């Protein structure tokens, strides 16, 4: 960034030095002339150049002439007359003959900022002194809106054509070419910011700075466009644009510190409508004092809003404080220069820095705003990307939650159905089995009656166990261990086997999930049945323990042992396959081996927390 600034400063210095270079030795600089207004029969009045009409004929509007006597300069090359400023078109007479200028003498306000170059034929330079006369139309202050638009004449330079041609081109570059370029760039910047403000609903600062830049670009047109006049109406219409332009700048300063003062803003816009009406109501002879008061009012308001901006931005430690400080400081200096010119505190020259510095600083602020907008746009894009990512994550979470809810609903429905079936089994089948048991006992004994009663009791126990598993109600571990002991001891003793029971005392409050309780009961029953039916043993050892977060069952005997065929073969019994399926369904493990005294030992471990994926498969 510093390299570009150094280049800009270097180029500007070269151009400025080219404009203000000292006069060459072969130039004649004429600083005295005889001034005469059209129709005045008198000899005229000697005046010093540069000259302003208001110092000699205040309020005059018409044509006036400046006459000087020149001596032929040395040399044979073509000569030229260079007039830096006349604030109008003009006609040049040499030795009584018209040698240049416009055919019709009409005021042209845009020529106030442009130089004139007229070729002087050497053949008309007769004798030692030849009269050179310039006829200039215009109006004097205070009948104009700006002191720069008042009629007058700068110093006159006579010299070689090539030297004055270079001076003329340099001056036109600054007063016409640069003015056109600045106006075009500033107008494009203003329109661009207005477009961005439409894209961003909350871009108030972009809107008002776009209005300010566009308004100043229109004001710059007066430097080069052939606007008719000067006339009071044209001046008022053109310079009344300064009101909305500066009001937009004032509101922009408020938006930069995020302030909204509706009453103040309404007052500013009302002022923009009232001031032109008051200026139009003023008499044509007092336009300059009226507009000077208008300039002073705008300058005072600018200082107030700029001071408020600086105070607020400094207290709130805003990041763009220094950028705005440099830009607004430069604008304040240019406004002060304009006020000094309007109040005759400084003389006016052909090159007016205000016309260029204010747009340049405005462009600097505009580029800063566009940089802020681009940065905010990038941040918004990143935020949108992050938002899309979070929305996708939340969508996946919602989908997963819905799946879990669906599973829970299905599980609740299945559980409800289990409870209904359990209730039906308990109420209907249980009542009938109980009735069969009681009827067999009341029948008077007999092997058939006892056998039927025994089968009925077994069926009733199985039904109750199934109902307990379907209702999914946990049971106290101590009660379950007691039931297991009573059942196992009764069955083994009835079969003539000696029983060795070892069960660890469970912790107080320890509960067994219904699935674990039911499956462990069936595993234990199947193991006891295998000992009674197939082992040929005389004693049976049963051990129950809580370890590693699960329930360990061990059933061993002193029988002839069990020869286990490979899993999946035809010789493998249904009971062993049932034990394996129940243990595997609860994500447990089991093994068969030989006990310490011979025989067969079954060890099975089942976790107390039943995996949900295997519940329905059990």
């Amino acid at each position: 960034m510093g390299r570009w600034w150094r280049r800009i400063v270097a180029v500007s210095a070269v151009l400025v030095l080219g404009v203000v270079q000292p006069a060459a030795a072969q130039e004649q600089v004429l600083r005295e002339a005889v001034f005469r207004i059209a129709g005045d029969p008198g000899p005229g009045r000697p005046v010093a150049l540069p000259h302003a009409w208001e110092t000699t004929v205040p309020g005059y509007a018409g044509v006036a002439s400046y006459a000087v006597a020149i001596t032929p300069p040395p040399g044979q090359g073509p000569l030229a007359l260079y007039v830096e400023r006349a604030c109008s078109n003009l006609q040049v007479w040499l030795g009584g003959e018209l040698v240049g200028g416009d055919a019709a003498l009409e005021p042209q306000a845009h020529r106030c900022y442009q130089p004139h170059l007229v070729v002087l034929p050497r053949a008309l330079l007769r004798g030692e002194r030849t009269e050179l006369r310039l006829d200039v139309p215009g109006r004097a202050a205070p009948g104009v809106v700006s002191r720069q638009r008042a009629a007058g004449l700068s110093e006159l330079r006579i010299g070689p054509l090539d030297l004055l041609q270079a001076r003329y081109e340099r001056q036109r570059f600054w007063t016409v070419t640069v003015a056109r370029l600045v106006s075009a760039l500033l107008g494009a910047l203003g329109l661009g910011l207005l477009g961005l403000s439409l894209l961003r609903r909350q871009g108030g600062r972009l809107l008002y700075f776009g209005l300010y830049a566009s308004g100043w670009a229109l004001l710059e047109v007066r430097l080069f466009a052939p606007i008719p006049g000067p006339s009071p109406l044209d001046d008022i219409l053109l310079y009344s644009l300064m009101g909305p332009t500066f009001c937009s700048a004032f509101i922009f300063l408020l938006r930069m510190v995020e302030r909204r003062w509706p009453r103040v803003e309404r007052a500013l816009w009302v002022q923009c409508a009232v001031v032109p009406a008051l200026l139009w109501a003023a008499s044509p002879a007092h336009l300059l004092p009226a507009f000077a008061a208008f300039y002073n009012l705008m300058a005072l308001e600018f200082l107030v809003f700029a001071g408020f901006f600086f105070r607020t931005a400094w207290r709130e430690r805003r990041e763009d404080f220094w950028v705005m400080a440099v830009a607004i400081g430069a604008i304040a200096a240019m406004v002060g220069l304009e006020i000094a010119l309007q109040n005759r505190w400084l003389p006016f020259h052909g090159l007016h820095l205000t016309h260029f510095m204010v747009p340049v600083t405005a462009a600097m602020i505009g580029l800063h705003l566009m940089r802020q907008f681009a940065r905010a746009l990038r941040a918004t894009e990143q935020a949108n990307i992050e938002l899309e990512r979070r929305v996708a994550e939340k969508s996946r979470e919602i989908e997963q939650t819905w799946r879990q809810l669906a599973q829970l609903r299905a599980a609740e429905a299945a559980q409800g159905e289990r409870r209904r079936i359990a209730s039906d089994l308990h109420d209907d089948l249980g009542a009938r089995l109980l009735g069969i048991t009681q009827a067999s006992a009341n029948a008077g004994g007999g092997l058939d009656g006892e056998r039927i009663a025994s089968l009925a009791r077994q069926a009733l126990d199985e039904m109750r166990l199934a109902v307990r598993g379907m209702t999914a109600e946990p049971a106290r571990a101590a009660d379950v261990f007691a039931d297991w002991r009573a059942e196992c001891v009764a069955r083994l003793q009835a079969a003539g086997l000696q029983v060795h029971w070892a069960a660890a005392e469970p912790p107080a409050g320890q509960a067994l999930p219904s699935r674990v309780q039911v499956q462990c009961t069936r595993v234990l029953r199947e193991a006891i049945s295998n000992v009674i039916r197939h082992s040929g043993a005389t004693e049976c050892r049963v051990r129950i323990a809580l370890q590693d977060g699960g329930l360990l069952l061990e059933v061993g005997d002193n029988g002839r042992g069990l020869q286990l065929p490979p899993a999946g073969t035809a010789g493998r019994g249904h009971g062993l396959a049932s034990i394996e399926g129940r243990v595997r369904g609860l994500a447990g493990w089991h093994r068969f081996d030989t006990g310490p005294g011979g025989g067969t030992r079954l060890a099975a471990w089942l976790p107390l927390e039943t995996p949900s994926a295997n519940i329905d498969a059990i």
Side-chain angles (χ1 to χ4, degrees), residues 23 29 59 131 193 209 284 380 479 578 580 584:
V29 181
E131 183 184 62
L193 292 175
F209 192 82
T380 301
D479 296 341
S578 175
E580 291 178 358
R584 190 182 304 111

Side-chain angles (χ1 to χ4, degrees), residues 231-238 280 287:
S231 68
L233 180 59
D234 296 333
D235 286 342
I236 290 173
L237 292 177
L238 177 62
W280 177 249
L287 279 180

Side-chain angles (χ1 to χ4, degrees), residues 429-441:
L429 184 58
R432 294 191 179 187
L433 289 174
L434 184 59
I436 292 173
T437 302
Q438 293 174 352
S440 299

Side-chain angles (χ1 to χ4, degrees), residues 182-474:
V182 168
S183 178
L185 292 179
L186 195 59
L189 178 63
L191 293 177
L193 292 175
L194 289 176
L196 291 179
S197 69
L198 296 177
L199 295 177
R200 189 177 182 182
R201 295 296 182 88
Q202 297 180 351
R205 63 180 65 179
L206 300 179
L207 171 63
Y208 287 104
F209 192 82
L211 292 174
Y212 166 72
S214 302
W216 195 269
L218 292 176
L219 289 173
E220 287 287 306
V221 174
R222 74 189 189 279
L223 303 181
F224 57 86
I227 301 175
S231 68
L233 180 59
D234 296 333
D235 286 342
I236 290 173
L237 292 177
L238 177 62
Y239 278 79
S240 292
L241 287 175
M242 298 186 75
T245 300
F246 277 97
C247 287
S248 300
F250 301 155
I251 300 177
F252 162 73
L253 292 177
L254 294 179
R255 294 293 188 273
M256 285 295 292
V257 291
E258 299 178 0
R259 297 295 190 275
R260 292 178 180 272
W261 294 345
R263 293 183 180 179
V264 174
E265 295 175 12
R266 285 195 296 269
L268 289 174
W269 293 119
V270 170
Q271 170 185 277
C272 295
V274 171
V275 168
L278 295 178
L279 294 175
W280 177 249
S283 63
H286 296 85
L287 279 180
L288 184 58
F291 266 89
F294 173 58
Y295 296 148
N296 294 335
L297 175 63
M298 292 291 102
L300 179 61
E301 291 178 353
F302 173 76
L303 294 177
V304 170
F305 283 96
F308 174 78
F309 167 81
F310 285 132
R311 177 175 175 271
T312 306
W314 177 261
R315 292 178 60 183
E316 296 179 358
R317 299 293 190 270
R318 294 187 172 269
E319 61 176 358
D320 50 5
F321 173 81
W322 292 110
V323 174
M324 294 296 297
V326 173
I328 295 178
I331 293 177
M334 293 302 102
V335 171
L337 177 61
E338 183 70 20
I339 296 299
L341 290 173
Q342 297 303 322
N343 291 278
R344 305 181 187 178
W345 299 337
L346 291 176
F348 175 75
H349 297 283
L351 182 60
H352 195 3
L353 292 178
T354 305
H355 297 157
F356 311 111
M357 290 302 298
V358 172
V360 168
T361 53
M364 182 174 69
I365 297 176
L367 293 176
H368 175 68
L369 292 177
M370 295 186 71
R371 177 174 172 270
Q372 283 187 331
F373 180 82
R375 185 169 57 186
L377 186 60
R378 287 194 297 270
T380 301
E381 291 176 353
Q382 293 295 329
N384 288 337
I385 294 174
E386 180 66 17
L387 180 60
E388 291 176 357
R389 185 184 65 81
R390 293 186 179 182
V391 168
E393 291 180 355
K394 295 300 181 183
S395 298
R396 289 193 293 270
E397 292 179 2
I398 292 173
E399 291 176 359
Q400 183 178 0
T401 302
W402 276 108
R403 286 195 296 269
Q404 293 176 352
L405 289 175
Q407 293 175 358
L408 290 176
R409 292 193 187 99
E412 290 177 357
Q415 184 65 20
E417 187 65 16
R418 289 191 186 103
R419 288 176 179 172
R420 185 188 65 79
I421 295 173
S423 178
D424 292 344
L425 289 174
H426 183 272
D427 295 342
D428 298 336
L429 184 58
R432 294 191 179 187
L433 289 174
L434 184 59
I436 292 173
T437 302
Q438 293 174 352
S440 299
N442 295 331
L447 290 176
D448 292 339
E450 291 179 1
R451 187 169 180 273
I452 293 173
S454 177
L455 293 175
R457 282 193 297 271
Q458 292 178 9
L460 184 60
D461 291 340
E462 286 293 333
M463 185 272 298
R464 288 174 177 171
L465 185 62
V467 169
R468 184 180 301 170
M470 296 175 69
T471 56
E473 296 179 357

